């Protein structure tokens, strides 16, 4: 069989290790190819399904793939008790994020959300209150990635932090109260270096891990466990829950990945068996975590050995993950995500009033549905 994942050590190395163990157990070979993070976020899954047996996806694609029929409903190939074990151990809403139209389209193998990254040599502790960021940003010591789609992800998260409910089942995604979240984003974006608009989380974490740098904290950034491992880069980056705004670390935009099975593959039942095996707690703890993955199962997140190796990456961010928000997943969301991110960045750079920016985003959302 052949699989497609994303070209980062977190995306490829654990799957190669797991496939080696799977071959020893079953005699079945799985070879993995890689695509860029940008392709991962935008490339049509249906095209990949015609070339690969296993595909790593993120949850906003599920409405699109359910409509196209390109993926195997995993609940039709794996027994209920196995799926219940994976669901019970799922971090936050990771398992449910791949449930759509009455079927399970992928199994979580990687859990992520926007968390806080900080550098212990430059700041005494992670920021706990959003209002403390102003002075750090003015000093050039706080920033956040704004390259699409991350500006939109930060607006989503700030809506959660300010107690705003996003109506993903309605015509308008953002209620009028979302203007406060937009203003918070605009204030911080106006203080950071313009280079942030060209940076994704990996770019920013590389800057933070540079011993010659000054950047101390990124309050909203997708966590990458590798940067919290001593010796991975010259400067170790630590991770923590996102700064609160009265509601605790609530509403961070869920990320992560799931493993899906092509409906067009050579042996979908065998591919589904591997997907269920690699998503279970034991494989996630004993294979995915030690080989650079960021597991999607609580057996790994709760393990002392896993946390000891990563400066408590998992325990330090667990509250944020457990209270994260699942993005819309309807067929049409993915084009909206790209267009809305570009729209936000245009508004932020041009100083557009919050009400106009939110209205523009809602117009794009209505068109996507």
């Amino acid at each position: 069989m052949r699989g497609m994942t994303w070209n980062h050590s977190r995306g490829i190395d654990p799957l190669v290790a797991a496939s080696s163990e799977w071959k020893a157990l079953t005699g079945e070979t799985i070879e993995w190819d890689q695509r860029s993070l940008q392709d991962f976020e935008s490339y049509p899954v249906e095209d990949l399904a015609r070339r690969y047996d296993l595909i790593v996806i993120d949850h906003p694609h599920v409405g699109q793939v359910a409509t196209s029929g390109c993926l195997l409903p995993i609940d039709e190939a794996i027994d209920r008790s196995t799926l219940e074990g994976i669901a019970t151990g799922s971090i936050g809403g990771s398992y449910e994020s791949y449930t759509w139209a009455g079927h399970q389209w992928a199994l979580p193998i990687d859990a992520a959300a926007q968390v806080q990254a900080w550098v212990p040599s430059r700041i005494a502790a992670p920021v706990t209150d959003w209002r403390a960021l102003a002075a750090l940003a003015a000093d050039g010591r706080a920033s956040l990635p704004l390259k699409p789609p991350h500006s939109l992800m930060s607006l989503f998260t700030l809506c959660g932090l300010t107690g705003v409910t996003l109506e993903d089942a309605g015509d308008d995604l953002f209620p009028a109260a979302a203007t406060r979240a937009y203003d918070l984003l605009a204030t911080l974006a106006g203080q950071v270096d313009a280079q942030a608009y060209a940076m994704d989380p990996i770019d920013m974490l590389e800057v933070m891990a540079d011993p010659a740098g000054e950047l101390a904290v990124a309050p909203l950034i997708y966590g990458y466990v590798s940067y919290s491992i001593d010796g991975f880069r010259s400067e170790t980056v630590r991770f923590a829950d996102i700064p609160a705004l009265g509601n605790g670390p609530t509403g961070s935009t869920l990320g992560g990945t799931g493993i899906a099975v092509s409906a067009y593959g050579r042996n979908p039942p065998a591919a589904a068996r591997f997907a269920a095996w690699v998503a279970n707690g034991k494989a996630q703890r004993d294979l995915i975590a030690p080989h650079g993955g960021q597991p999607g199962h609580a057996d790994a997140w709760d393990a002392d050995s896993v946390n000891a190796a990563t400066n408590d990456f998992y325990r330090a961010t667990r509250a944020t993950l457990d209270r994260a928000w699942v993005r819309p997943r309807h067929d049409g969301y993915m084009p909206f995500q790209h267009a809305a991110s570009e729209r936000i960045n245009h508004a932020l750079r041009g100083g557009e009033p919050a009400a106009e920016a939110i209205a523009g985003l809602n117009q794009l959302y209505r068109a996507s549905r």
Side-chain angles (χ1 to χ4, degrees), residues 186-249:
T187 297
L188 187 56
Q191 293 177 298
V192 304
D193 192 293
Q195 190 61 29
Y197 286 95
M199 300 177 79
D200 63 22
I202 295 174
D203 296 327
M204 188 150 287
L205 288 167
E206 284 291 319
V207 170
M208 297 181 77
D210 184 346
E214 296 180 356
L215 186 57
V217 61
L220 301 178
I221 189 168
Y222 280 98
Y224 278 79
V225 66
S226 50
Y227 289 90
S228 68
I229 299 172
D230 293 335
F232 178 74
R233 290 290 186 267
S234 298
E235 196 78 48
T236 300
V237 179
R238 300 286 292 273
F239 293 85
D241 290 318
I242 52 178
L245 266 168
N247 297 292

Side-chain angles (χ1 to χ4, degrees), residues 241-369:
D241 290 318
I242 52 178
L245 266 168
N247 297 292
T250 298
S252 176
T253 308
L254 188 70
T257 66
I259 189 165
V261 176
S262 170
Y264 312 134
R266 285 160 284 192
N267 193 343
R273 286 193 296 272
F274 173 80
W277 174 81
V278 80
N280 76 48
K282 186 176 187 304
Q284 291 277 295
R285 183 191 64 228
D286 299 342
L287 283 169
I288 300 301
H291 287 91
Q294 195 165 297
H297 200 284
D299 283 3
W301 282 66
D302 293 340
D304 290 339
S305 60
V306 173
N307 280 281
T310 60
N311 280 303
D312 270 349
F313 173 90
Y314 298 97
R315 292 195 180 109
T317 59
R318 179 68 178 271
T320 297
L321 269 290
D322 281 345
R323 299 165 73 173
W325 176 73
V326 177
R327 281 170 279 171
R329 292 163 292 163
H330 62 275
D331 188 6
Y333 170 77
M334 291 305 296
F336 162 78
Q337 178 170 284
H338 177 74
S341 302
E342 297 282 1
R343 178 73 175 80
I344 288 173
N345 285 6
H346 176 77
L348 291 174
R349 287 181 149 176
E352 186 175 1
E356 291 182 20
I358 293 299
L361 294 174
N362 279 331
Q363 184 178 14
L364 291 172
Y365 192 74
R366 288 194 294 274
S368 79
R369 298 189 69 89

Side-chain angles (χ1 to χ4, degrees), residues 57-180:
I57 66 170
D58 59 354
H59 65 263
H61 283 100
V62 298
Q64 181 185 73
V65 301
T67 299
S68 71
C70 66
L71 296 183
L72 178 76
I74 288 184
D75 53 287
E76 295 182 352
I78 300 300
D79 66 273
R80 183 175 178 178
S81 64
T82 298
L83 292 179
E84 286 178 348
I86 296 170
T88 299
S90 172
I91 295 297
S94 296
Y95 183 89
E96 292 81 3
S97 72
Y98 299 102
T99 306
W100 185 261
H103 289 290
Q104 191 70 25
W105 298 100
L107 300 175
I109 58 170
D110 179 292
Q114 283 194 317
V115 294
Q116 176 181 181
W118 61 288
V119 183
S121 64
R122 298 172 194 156
I123 190 173
V127 177
T128 57
D129 188 321
W130 187 267
R131 290 167 294 187
L133 290 165
L136 289 165
D139 250 359
R141 296 196 295 153
S143 190
L144 77 171
L146 292 171
K147 183 177 181 178
H150 298 286
S151 51
L152 177 62
M153 301 302 102
S154 290
L155 180 60
F156 285 157
T157 297
L158 283 165
C159 283
L161 281 174
T162 54
V164 171
T165 300
L166 298 174
E167 303 292 344
D168 62 313
D171 290 334
D172 286 351
L173 178 62
F174 297 95
T179 53
R180 183 189 175 202

Side-chain angles (χ1 to χ4, degrees), residues 11-83:
I12 183 68
D13 292 353
L15 286 174
V16 170
S19 297
S20 177
E21 180 68 14
W22 183 249
K23 182 176 181 180
L25 292 171
T26 67
E28 296 173 352
T29 299
I30 304 173
E31 296 181 356
W32 290 93
D33 291 337
Q34 308 169 56
R35 53 187 167 139
S36 71
L37 185 59
Q38 185 173 359
D39 274 355
F40 176 77
E41 292 165 343
S42 61
Y43 197 85
V45 175
E46 185 172 6
D47 292 353
L48 296 173
R50 297 189 182 279
R51 298 163 50 199
Y52 294 94
D53 302 279
L54 290 154
I55 310 156
V56 176
I57 66 170
D58 59 354
H59 65 263
H61 283 100
V62 298
Q64 181 185 73
V65 301
T67 299
S68 71
C70 66
L71 296 183
L72 178 76
I74 288 184
D75 53 287
E76 295 182 352
I78 300 300
D79 66 273
R80 183 175 178 178
S81 64
T82 298
L83 292 179

